[in-house]
């Protein structure tokens, strides 16, 4: 239950109105009370401003919660004429600020830097060095932005609030109003005169400095992993320094795919090896080792067969003795159509299992000799009959029409 409904009354909504209802009411009231729509009405401008102020508070979840709890700003404990919204939220939420004015954020903005890595580098680990520039608090003025003894004055643009009201034409004669950070004082609310500014940072409170970082990618790193350098980012006066975060982006690999700790590789083998076996190196692993596999004669490899080599997957970076598995998907390469042209086909057939017999038939059986064409499963189901069209129409909600019986 709210303690004051004045702002809701201005917009003409109930205190339990949702965001969409508040926004719709704001547009309606703004249009109805716009000074251009009410020539000669001296109170239109005041009503228009009240509508904008009401919407500014009720459209922000945190500001609305504070208003519902305390009502008018004069009734909020500890808030008087000299206290702004940032001071109010600081008392409510532990010195946090929500962009209402002169307060500073408790932490500078972190920087997230994507870093492309090869799968080999994730498997084996890697060390990379970076030279970066960042903002640090000016040591000459200790982050005040002014000369020793100088006093900052309220910004003439925002009146010391750090934010200004901006108006934009939204079409159909409507004007939208939003609060924006004051560009003259960068949201501080205070500003030194040019002659009182620090000669090193020129009133900006920070200067540029170079830093070097040593990025260690652990063995068993993974795509999307974030490596955080706490406090190595930009600095602002009276705030916790930002962090620099490297986000690993794995490049596609020509041999391996990875899922969690498991690796998958497709290995091509000729039909002769699939039937007769082999003993050879099938691939080079991510650390340069040759993976040698022996398949005994008579150990037939069939189409779509997958084998597993235990313990040859990615490493768990926390438990180095734990590894995933390497999955081998065999792709059997069949010979070209004319490969037996110079061979004795009958002699070769005697080496293979016998052919399947034809389907038994009788003298009355009709045997139809047909020809086959190359195809693929993508074409399966493309031939649609009228009965299928009627079924699809029925499934889509279109009723089937039948003739009445005579």
């Amino acid at each position: 239950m709210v303690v004051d409904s004045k702002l809701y009354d201005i917009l003409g909504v109930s205190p339990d109105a949702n965001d969409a209802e508040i926004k719709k009411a704001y547009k309606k009231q703004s249009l109805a009370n716009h000074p251009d729509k009410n020539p000669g009405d001296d109170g239109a401008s005041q009503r228009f401003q009240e509508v904008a102020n009401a919407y500014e508070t009720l459209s922000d979840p945190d500001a609305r919660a504070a208003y519902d709890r305390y009502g008018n700003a004069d009734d909020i404990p500890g808030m008087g004429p000299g206290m702004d919204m940032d001071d109010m939220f600081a008392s409510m939420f532990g010195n946090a600020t929500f962009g209402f004015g002169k307060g500073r954020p408790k932490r500078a903005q972190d920087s997230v830097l994507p870093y492309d890595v090869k799968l080999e580098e994730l498997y084996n680990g890697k060390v990379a060095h970076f030279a970066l520039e960042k903002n640090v608090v000016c040591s000459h003025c200790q982050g005040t932005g002014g000369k020793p003894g100088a006093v900052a004055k309220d910004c003439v643009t925002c009146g010391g609030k750090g934010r200004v009201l901006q108006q934009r034409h939204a079409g159909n004669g409507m004007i939208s109003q939003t609060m924006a950070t004051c560009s003259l004082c960068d949201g501080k609310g205070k500003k030194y005169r040019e002659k009182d500014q620090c000669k090193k940072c020129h009133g900006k409170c920070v200067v540029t400095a170079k830093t070097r970082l040593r990025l260690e990618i652990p063995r068993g790193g993974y795509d999307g992993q974030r490596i955080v350098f706490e406090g190595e980012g930009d600095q602002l006066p009276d705030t916790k320094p930002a962090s620099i975060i490297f986000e690993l982006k794995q490049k596609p690999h020509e041999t391996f795919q990875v899922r969690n700790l498991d690796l998958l590789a497709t290995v091509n083998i000729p039909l002769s090896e699939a039937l007769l076996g082999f003993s050879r190196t099938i691939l080079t692993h991510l650390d340069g080792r040759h993976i040698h596999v022996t398949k005994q004669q008579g150990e037939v490899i069939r189409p779509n067969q997958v084998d597993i080599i235990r313990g040859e997957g990615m490493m768990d970076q926390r438990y180095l003795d734990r590894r995933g598995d390497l999955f081998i998907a065999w792709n059997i390469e069949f010979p070209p159509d004319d490969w037996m042209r110079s061979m004795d086909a009958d002699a070769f057939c005697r080496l293979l299992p016998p052919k399947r017999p034809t389907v038994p038939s009788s003298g009355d059986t009709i045997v139809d000799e047909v020809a086959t064409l190359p195809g693929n499963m993508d074409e399966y189901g493309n031939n649609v009959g009228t009965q299928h069209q009627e079924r699809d129409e029925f499934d889509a909600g279109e009723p089937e029409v039948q003739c009445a019986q005579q």
Side-chain angles (χ1 to χ4, degrees):
M1 182 177 180
V2 300
V3 299
D4 184 7
S5 62
K6 179 180 178 181
L7 298 185
Y8 294 99
D9 296 337
I10 291 176
L11 295 181
V13 296
S14 63
D16 59 353
N18 57 36
D19 294 340
E21 292 171 336
I22 290 177
K23 185 175 182 179
K24 182 178 180 180
Y26 164 65
K27 291 181 178 180
K28 178 181 179 180
Q29 294 295 335
S30 294
L31 184 61
N33 294 284
H34 195 280
D36 294 342
K37 299 290 184 178
N38 298 272
D41 186 351
D42 296 336
S45 179
Q46 177 65 26
R47 294 195 304 272
F48 183 80
Q49 184 64 40
E50 290 177 351
V51 169
N53 292 337
Y55 179 70
E56 180 187 349
T57 299
L58 299 182
S59 62
D60 184 285
D62 298 310
R64 182 179 178 180
Y67 175 73
D68 290 345
R69 181 178 178 183
Y70 295 109
N72 192 296
D74 294 335
D75 300 328
I76 299 177
M79 185 167 184
M83 187 176 185
D84 65 9
M85 292 296 287
D86 267 329
D87 298 325
M88 177 189 70
F89 280 100
S91 64
M92 292 174 59
F93 299 103
N95 293 324
T97 60
F98 296 84
F100 285 99
K102 62 188 178 183
R104 288 185 179 275
K106 296 300 293 181
R107 181 188 179 96
Q109 182 66 41
D110 293 337
S111 297
V112 180
L113 307 177
Y115 183 59
D116 293 334
V117 291
K118 301 177 181 178
L119 185 56
E120 287 87 350
E121 295 169 339
L122 296 177
Y123 184 88
N124 300 299
K126 178 186 176 180
V127 176
H129 298 273
F130 296 89
L132 303 174
E133 287 189 350
K134 66 177 182 179
N135 292 329
V136 298
V137 175
C138 177
S139 59
H140 187 70
C141 66
Q142 303 303 318
T144 64
K147 294 179 179 179
V151 178
K153 306 293 184 181
D154 283 348
C155 174
V156 296
T157 300
C158 65
K161 295 296 183 182
R163 293 171 65 83
V164 293
L165 186 64
Q166 290 184 342
Q167 294 185 351
R168 294 181 181 179
H169 291 278
N172 297 325
M174 295 184 60
I175 296 179
S176 64
Q177 294 186 335
T178 58
M179 296 298 294
T181 300
C182 178
S183 58
L184 186 63
C185 65
D186 295 327
K188 303 171 188 174
K190 301 285 185 178
K191 186 174 178 62
Y192 288 97
R193 293 178 297 179
E194 186 174 352
K195 68 176 184 177
D196 292 332
Q197 293 177 356
C198 172
K199 299 301 181 182
K200 185 175 182 180
C201 67
H202 304 289
K204 296 181 179 179
C205 305
V206 295
V207 294
T208 301
K210 294 183 178 180
T211 184
R212 294 184 63 84
L213 296 179
R214 184 176 187 270
L215 174 63
E216 295 186 15
I217 300 175
R219 297 179 66 183
Y222 54 89
D223 181 49
Q225 181 175 354
R226 289 190 168 194
I227 301 176
V228 181
F229 289 84
E230 187 70 30
E232 292 292 342
D234 289 333
Q235 299 178 6
L236 290 172
D238 303 322
T239 64
K240 184 179 180 180
S243 296
I244 294 179
I245 304 172
F246 287 93
E247 184 171 5
L248 304 183
K249 299 291 185 181
Q250 180 203 322
K251 298 179 180 179
H253 197 275
E254 60 181 7
T255 302
F256 295 98
Q257 299 178 44
V258 60
R259 179 180 295 176
N260 296 326
L261 293 181
D262 293 331
L263 292 171
L264 170 65
T266 299
V267 176
N268 298 321
I269 59 172
L271 179 60
S272 59
E273 290 185 341
L275 296 175
L276 304 175
F278 60 88
S279 181
R280 65 177 177 86
T281 296
I282 60 172
L283 55 81
T284 301
H285 212 317
L286 294 168
D287 56 1
R289 289 181 296 119
H290 285 193
I291 301 301
H292 190 280
V293 170
T294 298
K295 289 288 186 180
Q296 301 296 334
Q297 186 173 347
E299 190 179 351
V300 178
I301 298 177
R302 292 169 173 78
N304 301 320
Q305 179 176 325
V306 176
D307 289 350
I308 300 177
I309 304 176
R310 299 295 184 189
E312 287 294 345
M314 298 293 290
M315 178 184 299
D316 188 319
Q317 56 185 267
R318 290 189 177 182
Y319 305 98
L320 301 184
D321 59 342
R322 179 185 177 188
R323 288 179 177 269
D325 299 324
L326 172 58
F327 289 71
I328 303 297
W330 301 105
N331 179 45
I332 302 175
E333 298 174 330
F334 283 79
D337 294 340
D338 59 351
W339 70 284
M340 291 188 63
R341 181 171 299 175
S342 60
M343 297 178 58
D344 184 347
D346 292 335
F348 182 77
C349 287
R350 287 193 292 269
L351 300 175
L352 298 175
K355 297 181 180 179
R356 290 184 177 273
T358 187
V359 177
S361 61
S362 65
D364 297 331
T365 302
I366 298 175
V367 179
D368 194 1
E369 188 73 25
V370 298
T372 62
L373 297 173
N376 59 75
M377 289 302 295
D378 293 337
E379 301 178 23
Y380 178 62
N382 285 352
N383 296 305
V384 180
T386 55
Q387 70 273 23
H388 303 105
Q389 293 176 342
E390 293 173 354
R391 180 196 62 192
D392 294 341
E393 291 173 355
F394 182 80
D395 292 342
E398 300 181 14
E400 182 179 0
V401 179
Q402 298 184 352
C403 296
Q405 297 291 334
Q406 298 296 326

